[in-house]
Amino acid sequence: MTTRDQIATALAGDRSRRSRERRIRRVFFGAAAASVLISIAIVVSLFGEAWTFISNVGFPQLADIGWFPRRGFYDIRTLLVGTLLVAGIAMLVAGPLGMGVAIYLSEYAAPRTRRILKPAVELLAGIPSVVLGYFALTFISPEVLRPIFGEDLDGFNLLAAGLGVGILTIPLVASVTEDSLRAVPLALREASYGLGATRMSTSIRVVIPAAVSGIVASMIIAFSRAIGETMVVAIAAGATGGSLFTVDPLGGGQTMTAAMASLAIGSDRVRGDDYAFQSLFFIGLVLFLMTLVLNILAERFVRRVRERY
Amino acid sequence: MNASAISAAPEAVGRALSQHRRDVRGSLFRVVLLGSLLVAIGILVTLMVDIVARSLPVWGDRGVVDLISTEISADPARAGIWQAFYGSLILMVFTAAIAFPLGIGAAIYLEEYARDTRTTRIINANIRNLAGVPSIVYGLLGLAIFVKLLGGLTGPSVEGRSIISGGLTLGILVLPIVIITTAEALRAVPSSIREGAIGVGATPWQTIRHHVLPIAAPGIFTGTILSLGRAFGEAAPLLLVGGITTFFSTGDAGFIEVLQGRFSAMPVLVFSWARLPQAEFKALTAALIVIMLIVLLLINATAIYLRNRFEKGVTS
């Protein structure tokens, strides 16, 4: 045995100590691996029932007069259009407001102002979505939208739901955008000021273009979140049980998530003729794949910001 | 003459630089930005004021204790939130019992043990993706696995639609958040601490147990407790695994029977009451939301308290 080996054995400690360390390491690895198991369980359970649905119902039946799963009408377009309407309205609210908040906090606010205002915006992120659903139904719809669109506006409507979801996603846009704005090196701003640029032109022409990947990422994440948001729509958009195909944001309607929620309630269990239960998993799978693609896309953009600075 | 021109020059330069013209567009831009911030905060304030105002009639004739201790009913004059209140509390305990050990363990592996291998990268990417999965999809997972597949264990008499299924689902839902926040707290511990411990002969586990975890504790507490707040407000997954909103009684069932029995939760009850047409239920919903927000406030206050307490312990 060489001296080197002897030193190595001496440093490694006695055998029981080493095997204990290995066991502990294995336990922690198990915990980390459990997260992969969860993903597999999600994919398997979604695909299993969704396959039963699609192989029995067939694609032609996915275009019909509306979404009434308990009666055998499975028009997926109704849900997709409803989802895009709500998410689109939400982005019209959260996009500009979230960007404005982020630019103000990152470029304009004094450190002390920022310390007070930022937590206030983050408070909004902590509000449970059922609460915003209630707010959309009892405040936004009757007291904000009715005066604008007239008294005959349906109390349950997609517009109020979209606004509610938008409020929910403001903090998300604001925080991801602000992070990417603050990641832009100070030297770029100083160079811009040195050339005589004002704060506004520095923000618009220097900082925002430098952070554009992060800003795009924040929009994608917010959109993905808006698509997956359930309770605001389930409460404020009406249409339990089903909905006719509609593109009118002023009427009631259903999104993919709200359709799942309303299928699951009404009784103690998911009941219905034919494949109502399986349709739940089919929509779930479509939703899961949509958000997965969006999240992967967003991560690409975020990584680009990180690589650059 | 020459001398006075030179002495006047700095003033002239200063005047030229400080711009006599008002930067109208710049000020406008600033006002718009500040405006969007004020709108965001204004919405929050409006929401709070509106909900508290709507709940006032309930506090007048019922009181908090009465509302919490009365059972759920379809009659607004006699309706309370008792089943939903204790349902939510038990769900929180369940969530913590599942997500905390598993999440902290996973984070310790990823931050302290794992080398940058393919497996590690897959696990990390997987956790980030799980964090972005909509909560209702976790409800589907719970429905397929805990309700349908394991229904005989989780709730034999209620077809699996039990508090156990709900708690497991919520635990899995917040697991990625617990892992990510714990990993961040561990990453913030300076590597010199680890090198110091390893240098005097500590094993990896001794290093983690005695040096890394105590320093990371404030961050871990904040992250995990805030994730509990997230689970507390979730309604969508619970709807799918069978959270119910009508009267039910567990009678004098034992502890295990309660866990295997039917359940309700506060956000699920908000969903159901908010859609009822009677004005009394609108007020009751507002009152229920106020109680929910108070519980959330308590959860967050606990997080802040624990963080401050443990931060002091380490630095002194």
Side-chain angles (χ1 to χ4, degrees), chain A residues 17 20-21 24-25 28-42 45-46 49 93 96-101 103-105 108-109 117 120-121 123-124 126-135 137-139 142-143 156 167 170 196 198-200 203-205 208 224-225 227-231 233-240 256-258 260-265 267-270 277 280-281 283-285 287-288 291-292 295-296 299 303, chain B residues 19 23 25-27 29-30 32-41 43-44 46-48 50-51 54 101-110 113-115 119 122-123 125-138 140-141 143-145 148 159 161 172 175 179 201-206 208 229-230 232-236 239-244 246 262 266-268 270-271 274-275 281-287 289 292-293 296-297 300:
Chain A
R17 184 166 126 142
R20 210 188 99 176
E21 283 295 319
I24 291 171
R25 186 196 158 102
F28 288 138
F29 176 74
S35 68
V36 179
L37 268 176
I38 291 169
S39 290
I40 295 172
I42 289 178
S45 53
L46 288 181
E49 302 283 1
V93 175
L97 278 179
M99 283 265 296
V101 170
I103 299 171
Y104 187 82
L105 287 179
Y108 281 82
L117 292 180
V121 176
L123 264 185
L124 204 53
I127 305 270
S129 59
V130 277
V131 177
L132 263 158
Y134 177 82
F135 185 64
L137 180 64
T138 58
F139 186 84
E143 286 174 42
F156 293 103
I167 293 171
I170 292 173
T198 60
R199 196 171 275 232
M200 177 175 91
S203 301
I204 295 180
R205 303 241 179 104
I208 293 179
S224 158
R225 173 78 202 277
I227 286 178
E229 172 48 47
T230 308
M231 296 321 293
V233 192
I235 292 174
T240 35
M256 295 192 285
T257 52
M260 286 192 262
S262 75
L263 247 181
I265 52 153
S267 70
D268 260 8
R269 74 196 66 144
V270 177
F277 178 77
L280 198 61
F281 288 84
I283 324 167
L285 180 64
L287 177 67
F288 175 73
T291 52
L292 185 68
N295 292 344
I296 291 174
E299 200 173 308
R303 204 176 301 145
Chain B
Q19 276 187 328
D23 181 11
R25 282 198 308 163
S27 319
F29 184 63
R30 191 196 173 100
V32 168
L33 294 180
L34 187 61
S36 55
L37 186 71
L38 293 179
V39 167
I41 294 173
I43 292 172
L44 181 69
T46 314
L47 185 145
M48 295 291 185
D50 179 61
I51 285 174
R54 277 174 209 274
L102 214 53
I104 294 173
I108 289 177
Y109 178 79
L110 291 171
Y113 287 101
R115 298 200 184 85
T119 322
I122 290 174
I123 294 178
N126 175 59
I127 288 165
R128 280 196 303 276
N129 280 327
L130 276 181
V133 171
S135 61
I136 195 157
V137 173
Y138 285 96
L140 287 174
L141 171 76
L143 178 59
I145 309 258
K148 295 285 158 191
E159 297 177 336
R161 320 195 131 250
I172 290 181
L175 183 64
I179 298 177
T203 63
W205 171 237
Q206 286 165 337
I208 295 165
R230 165 88 196 276
F232 175 76
E234 279 294 343
L239 286 179
L240 289 183
V241 296
I244 55 173
T246 45
R262 316 209 284 162
M266 289 161 75
V268 177
V270 169
F271 166 69
R275 299 176 55 94
F281 269 115
K282 291 267 186 286
L284 274 173
T285 315
I289 289 175
M292 268 182 76
L293 292 178
L296 268 178
L297 203 67
N300 291 342

Side-chain angles (χ1 to χ4, degrees), chain A residues 56-262:
Chain A
N56 283 292
V57 170
F59 283 104
Q61 254 180 283
L62 292 180
D64 213 314
I65 54 156
W67 177 264
F68 296 97
R70 283 167 213 246
R71 281 184 263 156
F73 297 114
Y74 307 105
D75 180 40
I76 188 88
R77 296 173 311 162
T78 306
L79 303 183
L80 285 175
V81 168
T83 303
L84 292 181
L85 271 177
V86 167
I89 294 166
M91 290 311 292
L92 288 180
V93 175
L97 278 179
M99 283 265 296
V101 170
I103 299 171
Y104 187 82
L105 287 179
S106 153
E107 305 300 312
Y108 281 82
R112 240 187 64 196
T113 332
R114 189 173 170 274
R115 262 206 307 279
I116 301 168
L117 292 180
K118 200 176 177 205
V121 176
E122 280 166 354
L123 264 185
L124 204 53
I127 305 270
S129 59
V130 277
V131 177
L132 263 158
Y134 177 82
F135 185 64
L137 180 64
T138 58
F139 186 84
I140 297 179
S141 186
E143 286 174 42
V144 179
L145 297 181
R146 256 219 191 112
I148 301 175
F149 294 101
E151 282 303 312
D152 52 341
L153 178 75
D154 190 351
F156 293 103
N157 60 70
L158 286 171
L159 181 58
L163 294 176
V165 176
I167 293 171
L168 212 58
T169 40
I170 292 173
L172 198 62
V173 174
S175 79
V176 180
T177 301
E178 202 214 341
D179 281 347
S180 61
L181 292 176
R182 289 171 72 87
V184 174
L186 212 56
L188 286 182
R189 294 184 184 89
E190 283 161 356
S192 170
Y193 293 141
L195 291 173
T198 60
R199 196 171 275 232
M200 177 175 91
S201 41
T202 304
S203 301
I204 295 180
R205 303 241 179 104
V206 178
V207 181
I208 293 179
V212 75
S213 306
I215 296 171
V216 173
S218 81
M219 297 294 162
I220 299 174
I221 294 171
F223 193 71
S224 158
R225 173 78 202 277
I227 286 178
E229 172 48 47
T230 308
M231 296 321 293
V232 176
V233 192
I235 292 174
T240 35
S243 163
L244 281 169
F245 182 80
T246 174
V247 289
D248 175 20
L250 295 179
Q254 224 164 23
T255 62
M256 295 192 285
T257 52
M260 286 192 262
S262 75

Side-chain angles (χ1 to χ4, degrees), chain B residues 67-72 80-88 250 269:
Chain B
L67 191 66
I68 291 178
S69 58
T70 311
E71 297 188 317
I72 299 173
I81 63 164
W82 173 239
Q83 289 96 332
F85 185 76
Y86 84 70
S88 277
T250 45
L269 196 59

Side-chain angles (χ1 to χ4, degrees), chain B residues 193-259:
Chain B
I193 302 274
R194 298 184 187 88
E195 285 152 12
I198 298 282
V200 295
T203 63
W205 171 237
Q206 286 165 337
T207 308
I208 295 165
R209 172 79 190 76
H210 299 292
H211 301 280
V212 178
L213 281 183
I215 296 177
I220 296 177
F221 277 127
T222 327
T224 47
I225 293 175
L226 291 183
S227 74
L228 212 55
R230 165 88 196 276
F232 175 76
E234 279 294 343
L238 293 181
L239 286 179
L240 289 183
V241 296
I244 55 173
T245 50
T246 45
F247 174 81
F248 66 94
S249 170
T250 45
D252 49 358
F255 184 61
I256 299 292
E257 282 91 73
V258 168
L259 291 186

